[in-house]
Amino acid sequence: MDISNNVLSSYERDARDPDTKMLRSLSELYDVSTDFLLGLTDYPSKNGYEKQTKLDTAFGEVIQEIISENDSNIYIDQGNLDEETIKLVKKAIKNGMKFIDEMKRSEN
């Protein structure tokens, strides 16, 4: 990267910000977007079509937790869901979001 340890350290400590050229170099080195490096997005993708919302990320984390727990009461075959299960999951999420909305309203 052609920078000193002191400069790198100052970036890591937020004592100094990299210039545009350095941001581009870091983006290419780590294969992430400059927006991700700047903390503007939660997703590292450079390709706009692969951007994930916080909801996408949260849903992905939940699925991974379910798969990794090997809960015998939950049928997921290596993360592959049949169409009926997908419809039911969507319905459960929709109902859960409605319930959360009602709970928030009742708190106010």
Side-chain angles (χ1 to χ4, degrees):
M1 297 287 314
D2 260 348
I3 59 172
S4 69
N5 286 338
N6 289 339
V7 171
L8 178 59
S9 176
S10 67
Y11 292 158
E12 292 172 339
R13 292 179 288 114
D14 285 332
R16 179 177 172 180
D17 292 328
D19 62 17
T20 307
K21 183 178 176 183
M22 181 55 63
L23 275 175
R24 184 176 186 161
S25 296
L26 289 168
S27 170
E28 291 170 359
L29 175 68
Y30 293 110
D31 195 30
V32 296
S33 70
T34 53
D35 283 352
F36 178 74
L37 291 174
L38 293 169
L40 300 174
T41 61
D42 292 332
Y43 44 86
S45 174
K46 286 176 146 181
N47 180 340
Y49 298 106
E50 295 177 14
K51 292 180 180 178
Q52 288 191 326
T53 64
K54 288 182 180 181
L55 183 60
D56 293 331
T57 302
F59 185 71
E61 289 171 1
V62 168
I63 294 297
Q64 287 304 314
E65 286 177 25
I66 291 170
I67 292 168
S68 66
E69 288 176 6
N70 292 324
D71 189 338
S72 60
N73 296 325
I74 300 174
Y75 177 73
I76 298 180
D77 179 25
Q78 299 296 321
N80 297 318
L81 304 173
D82 59 39
E83 289 300 316
E84 181 183 358
T85 303
I86 290 170
K87 287 178 185 177
L88 292 171
V89 167
K90 286 180 180 179
K91 188 173 185 175
I93 291 171
K94 186 176 178 179
N95 289 335
M97 295 302 290
K98 286 180 182 179
F99 178 71
I100 290 169
D101 190 46
E102 288 173 14
M103 286 177 54
K104 283 184 175 181
R105 286 186 205 165
S106 67
E107 289 178 358
N108 294 330

